[in-house]
Amino acid sequence: MIKKSMLCLSISVTLVAGAATVQADELRFSWWGGNSRHEATNAAVDAYEAATNSVVKTEYTGWGGHLERLTTQIAGKTEPDLMQTNWNWLPIFSPKGTGFRDLRDFSSQLDLSNFDESALALGTINGKLNSLPVSMAARIFYYNKDTWAAAGLDYPGTWDELMAAGPVFKEKLGDEYYPLVLEGRDVMAMNRSYMVQKYGIPMIDESKRSFAYSEDQMVEFFTLYADMIKNHVAPSQKYISSYGAANLYEHKPWINGEWAGLYMWNSAINKYGDNLKPPMTMALGSYPIMDGAESSGIFYKPGLMFSISKNSEQPEEAARLLNFLLNEKAGIEIMGLQRSVPLNSYAREVLAANGTLNSSDLTVAGLVQINQLVKKIPTSGYFENPQLVSLFQENIEQIDHGQKTVEEAAKDFYKQGQRILRKAIKD
Amino acid sequence: MYENQKLGLAYISPYIIGLIVFTAFPFISSLIISFTDYDLINTPSFVGLDNYAYMVSDDTFYKSLGVTFAYVFLTIPLKLSFALFIAFVLNFKLRGIKAFRTAYYIPSILGSSVAIAVLWRAIFSLDGLLNTFIGYVGIPPVAWLGEPHFAMLSVTLLRVWQFGSAMVIFLAALQSVPQSQYEAAMIDGASKWHMFTKITIPLITPVIFFNFIMQTTQAFQEFTAPYVITAGGPAKSTYLFSLYIYETAFKYFDMGYGSALAWVLFVIVGIFTGISFKSSKYWVFYSGDKGGKNGG
């Protein structure tokens, strides 16, 4: 009797274990993005599967929560074989260059000859190519063409014109119409650009592990936000939060064109444009530059990257899939511009030949503008430190709710931000 | 005899293994991690009591703790009294009462799912269902999720709405109150209200106590609703403690401090439960028990 029971037990254990390992040879591939990227990437993966008779398991989410999920996977050594990664994650996951596989090890599967060496350098740590940049990106201004036409305004060419647009929107279109919509991280990047133009300094001084601003300059940084709200240039965080916690492009005022502009990554703009109620469309604005500014202060970085897990049992397969997506005609055509304009020169040729890469696409048009802007002062990789961004968000919300004055918020952010930077930037 | 024990152990081994792997191990390791500086990727370094010392000067810690207590003290009385009231009504012998009992229990089955929280966000959003309804009677839209007090109320109402599991337990308790006691009271001319407060309530105090403990420990750990509906906002007004633990650990990658926060929450819930148990001898009456302040 006992023997029989033990037998049953061991059989069932074997069955469960077997079910879990039956798919051991499938390759796992993860990314974040919006719907259009999901569709294109899934289609490209389908084509790869058909061409190579292999199985790829795709794991894709929106931006929210993706980093948390990936971190947990990496800590548990269960991350996918091939992962879409972000430039500012490199110091977290691979401070010494050993967190991911060196992509130069797979020269027979992955062709790197069409990638610009200086861009590859941005994914290289200690001589190891940890992440392959897919595209370069920056934050620039995009506007809802139809709403701005209704307001009867041209897109602002200077910071003053941007500030002046707020009252016009309010008067002509109504209280719920704004020239721009910004979340905390957008406000930070935009104000940083303004400060670079005005003072020629970045926000963070990595060598000193602290802010590069004086306390007065930090007050000015926060005053910029308060002025934008006061002038009806952008809805307050308080107003945005009354729609609940979701992506901006899922909120009704965005879809309906009430929030009529963005300071956004050129690589991300299509997911915002896609969600507008037809026939509304987005258009590229111009980038305001102050007289005498030596640099635009634009936040410019590798848009997206791909990395191969150091725990992968089939890294060659992952490299082969990566090569298909970035280097092979079939993959390039299906992926199109869903990860922005490819850095890969061959991919650009393919996309130009089939008409995908044309200057009417907002991402492409944005890249043309970005290439013309002066980028003398690079943005620190710690600028988007999640704790720093949360702290900024909290402080501007407190201004909105009348819990803090602009000066108090600036002071608190300065003090607590210094602590965060000292902890984050390891010597 | 010994063979039998082995077989018994084999049968319960899935549970034992689950307990060790998924409960005991994380429980112990989080305590150890709370004394370290650990970012998940690099090797942890031992920092002694630093994480606990930092808490003393951490504004967000106090803010989040305050929000959590407000949430618990708002949710629990509302939920329990509502559950008891509905259970009381559903205890009457009416036609179709079983259908009502089922209907009121449905929200509880949905549990702490994300889908329900998304639904809640759609109801309380500025352009949501609730504002549409009050718009019909001419009331201007209210920023339910944009104003700190309203936001807290919106998040609270989600859990109050899921009163079903507490209600079912109350219902069972109400049905076990002996009819003879009511009959005796009626003969003495007691009103319905008197019967409810003097007979029903005292006789079901053990169940009230049980529901109170279960719901309170759950409320202290609430996560899904504020995470999905408000993301802790506006201005951290719904930033419950579990959200702070989560963000510290998985957004800021400070596992050490996150674990220390989790242990502080554990101790707080422990103390709270301890006090509840101590107090119970003054207000909980078990049948056949001589205890209670009126007992003797």
Side-chain angles (χ1 to χ4, degrees), chain A residues 2 5 68 71-72 74-75 92-93 238-239 241-246 252 386-387 390 394 397 401 403 419 423, chain B residues 3 11 40-41 54 121 125-127 143 145-148 228-231 234-236 246 250-254:
Chain A
I2 287 166
S5 308
E68 290 90 324
T71 307
T72 317
I74 289 181
I92 307 173
F93 293 135
K238 182 178 169 180
Y239 181 56
S241 68
S242 65
Y243 286 91
K252 217 179 230 171
Q387 210 170 354
S390 293
E394 184 185 356
E397 283 182 18
H401 286 275
Q403 296 171 357
R419 187 149 73 175
K423 193 165 178 193
Chain B
E3 281 286 285
Y11 277 134
L40 270 179
I41 309 296
Y54 175 69
R121 192 172 74 201
S125 162
L126 195 60
D127 56 349
L145 304 178
E147 294 290 343
V228 174
I229 301 172
T230 59
K236 293 238 190 302
Y246 169 76
F250 295 104
K251 200 167 161 191
Y252 310 151
F253 304 119
D254 195 344

Side-chain angles (χ1 to χ4, degrees), chain B residues 175-246:
Chain B
Q175 286 172 348
S176 69
V177 175
Q179 281 300 318
S180 57
Q181 306 227 2
Y182 291 123
E183 284 157 11
M186 255 187 293
I187 292 166
D188 288 342
S191 69
K192 281 254 181 230
W193 175 247
H194 265 112
M195 285 196 269
F196 183 69
T197 53
K198 301 290 179 197
I199 299 173
T200 314
I201 295 280
L203 282 174
I204 64 166
T205 45
V207 174
I208 296 179
F209 180 59
F210 171 78
N211 269 335
F212 175 77
I213 293 287
M214 295 307 284
Q215 300 295 339
T216 310
T217 45
Q218 252 176 40
F220 269 114
Q221 299 170 60
E222 176 61 57
F223 176 80
T224 319
Y227 181 70
V228 174
I229 301 172
T230 59
K236 293 238 190 302
S237 57
T238 56
Y239 198 61
L240 293 191
F241 209 75
S242 57
L243 240 69
Y244 188 36
I245 294 173
Y246 169 76

Side-chain angles (χ1 to χ4, degrees), chain B residues 37-64:
Chain B
D37 179 11
Y38 179 38
D39 65 3
L40 270 179
I41 309 296
N42 298 303
T43 326
S45 60
F46 189 72
V47 293
L49 289 170
D50 275 12
N51 287 323
Y52 293 93
Y54 175 69
M55 237 175 265
V56 179
S57 64
D58 179 10
D59 294 343
T60 313
F61 168 74
Y62 295 110
K63 170 119 204 179
S64 177

Side-chain angles (χ1 to χ4, degrees), chain B residues 30-204:
Chain B
S30 73
L31 180 63
I32 298 167
I33 290 171
S34 77
F35 298 110
T36 65
D37 179 11
Y38 179 38
D39 65 3
L40 270 179
I41 309 296
N42 298 303
T43 326
S45 60
F46 189 72
V47 293
L49 289 170
D50 275 12
N51 287 323
Y52 293 93
Y54 175 69
M55 237 175 265
V56 179
S57 64
D58 179 10
D59 294 343
T60 313
F61 168 74
Y62 295 110
K63 170 119 204 179
S64 177
L65 203 59
V67 166
T68 308
F69 272 102
Y71 173 81
V72 171
F73 289 128
L74 203 60
T75 309
I76 299 306
L78 275 176
K79 187 173 184 173
L80 290 186
S81 49
F82 201 61
L84 182 56
F85 172 72
I86 299 291
F88 184 69
V89 173
L90 293 182
N91 196 27
F92 293 123
K93 287 185 180 63
L94 302 170
R95 187 192 294 266
I97 196 73
K98 282 186 179 149
F100 281 105
R101 283 177 194 165
T102 311
Y104 281 110
Y105 186 64
I106 286 174
S108 281
I109 303 173
L110 304 169
S112 60
S113 81
V114 171
I116 287 302
V118 171
L119 172 76
W120 222 249
R121 192 172 74 201
I123 292 174
F124 287 92
S125 162
L126 195 60
D127 56 349
L129 209 58
L130 184 58
N131 277 339
T132 310
F133 277 126
I134 65 172
Y136 289 139
V137 290
I139 301 170
V142 177
W144 299 109
L145 304 178
E147 294 290 343
H149 295 303
F150 286 147
M152 176 58 105
L153 193 66
S154 308
V155 171
T156 302
L157 282 180
L158 172 57
R159 287 298 171 248
V160 174
W161 177 64
Q162 296 185 319
F163 60 87
S165 59
M167 177 199 77
V168 166
I169 298 169
F170 276 138
L171 195 56
L174 290 176
Q175 286 172 348
S176 69
V177 175
Q179 281 300 318
S180 57
Q181 306 227 2
Y182 291 123
E183 284 157 11
M186 255 187 293
I187 292 166
D188 288 342
S191 69
K192 281 254 181 230
W193 175 247
H194 265 112
M195 285 196 269
F196 183 69
T197 53
K198 301 290 179 197
I199 299 173
T200 314
I201 295 280
L203 282 174
I204 64 166

Side-chain angles (χ1 to χ4, degrees), chain A residues 289-302:
Chain A
I289 302 283
M290 269 176 226
D291 288 341
E294 290 190 355
S295 179
S296 62
I298 197 166
F299 187 176
Y300 179 68
K301 67 172 191 187

Side-chain angles (χ1 to χ4, degrees), chain A residues 295-329:
Chain A
S295 179
S296 62
I298 197 166
F299 187 176
Y300 179 68
K301 67 172 191 187
L304 292 170
M305 308 176 104
F306 280 117
S307 302
I308 293 178
S309 160
K310 69 172 174 190
N311 299 308
S312 173
E313 284 173 10
Q314 35 189 346
E316 292 84 8
E317 272 308 304
R320 200 167 285 136
L321 170 59
L322 184 54
N323 194 63
F324 177 80
L325 297 173
L326 301 184
N327 272 323
E328 286 179 30
K329 192 159 184 273

